[in-house]
Amino acid sequence: MSTQQSTDPNRVIIFDTTLRDGEQSPGCSMNLEEKLRIAKQLEGMGVDVIEAGFPIASPGDFEAVNEIAKVIKDAVVCGLARSGNMDVDAAGEALKPAERKRVHTFISTSPLHMSVKLQMDPEDVHQAVIDSVTRARKYTDDVEWSAEDGTRTEHDFLCRCIESAIDAGATTINIPDTVGYTVPTEYAALIEMVMNRVPNVDKARISVHCHNDLGLAVANSLAAVSAGARQVECTINGIGERAGNASMEEIVMALRTRHDVMPFVNNIDTTEITKASRMLSGITGFNVQPNKAIVGANAFAHEAGIHQDGVLKDASTYEIMTPESVGLVQSKLVLGKHSGRHAFNEKLKELGYDLGDNAKQDAFRRFKDLADLKKDVFDEDIVALVDDEVMHAGERIKVVSLEINCGTVHTPPKASLTLEVDGEEKFCDGTGDGPVDAAFNCIKELFPHDTNLQLYQVHAVTQGTDAQAEVSVRLEENGKTVNGQGADTDTMVASVKAYVHALNKLLVEREKTAPAALSA
Ligand code: MN
């Protein structure tokens, strides 16, 4: 459904900026393949507009927006641009292949930002609004203009800029709470003021973009919708600059659960929420806190006896939403060591994988290995296994074998590791402060490199001591960070896989920036 075609006055456009504002947050950078996976997930769950990046920011950002523009058909693909010609042109060019595209241009309008950050007079800012929107319209009819730091902008000037932006052809007007400063009553009043005072406001859709510095991003967004805004900018898991953006799953589930007091509709298939959340956590290594609304591990867990008793009698006693409504289904025992190729292929289809013949063969072989080690193979295991296979395909460095000696004995933990580097097997023994340290020291010995380990994180894919471990490793080199993941029933093997995955990604980053540095 096009954002322009929608005629229902209560229809709220869901504008996802996980790949732009979310990706901008420290440690959250994603590579092209990861951005494409997220974009397809967002499209599949019914997001109206996908803000894919900030094309002028870097060649990588330009490429990501351009590639996403080529494959996404059911959502509008959006690129961000400051008000300068080069910014707008970069966004327009990057978006060229998109079936439906939006250029999103912005400039600060608050007195503080104009004088300190931009060092521009209000008159010049006003002219920049007109010029940037006019230029963006050369690339598409779908242009969004944002008044950066909108909640700290003087009302007269805000209204004047909005009116001019609409006159110049902007079809969406975003009034962001860039610094996460506003509160629900004040923000609702601001939106109402704009709706009442800007004479041509009926020609545009009002959008909101809230940050969570005071924990109010979702509350502010919903207050704005009740006041007349009809687009909400948000991210999966609420990732984003500083304390993050309004979280999509909270916005969407609040609108759904409290439709009685907020009679608005949107296009999101809420049963895809859990999958989207886990995909993003896996890619970035940013797990959500256990008590996070909607997607936290405890969001649907009932511990207190009196609650459990009530829920068993009737789920609605303590549950305002069902786990199923967000796609959280009980782990089902699906396959075991006697399951055949046909059953496995059917399961892949059911889980939404469309693998080529070779990848399917490899996945089946790994499933059989897993079933030998683990009695019960759950859906989550298959997802971890296939994602692991996809992630590690075509890497320059591969894990061949690992042996670890550790325990309470008074000798340092020892690792014996064999890696394949560009087709050549290399072996070493190493020691360390612990088994993980010993194994990582071996990797450094076999493939010398100088990076900082910023994150090492283990979590279990399912319950039980035979569960697969999913490990995230974040490496930093010259200010660039990459996240690597690995899954295995052996935590140490998963750790080495995750480290090597991150290292492989760093090599791809290096290839783009400094081909000479590729030797190690
Ligand atoms: Mn923002």
Side-chain angles (χ1 to χ4, degrees), residues 21 209 211 245:
D21 209 322
H209 174 114
H211 278 272
N245 288 71

Side-chain angles (χ1 to χ4, degrees), residues 256-284:
R256 178 186 160 131
T257 306
R258 296 310 310 275
H259 189 75
D260 56 330
V261 289
M262 295 181 288
F264 309 106
V265 290
N266 64 77
N267 194 43
I268 301 296
D269 174 359
T270 60
T271 64
E272 289 288 312
I273 283 174
T274 300
K275 185 177 168 201
S277 168
R278 288 183 180 171
M279 183 185 286
L280 184 68
S281 296
I283 286 173
T284 58

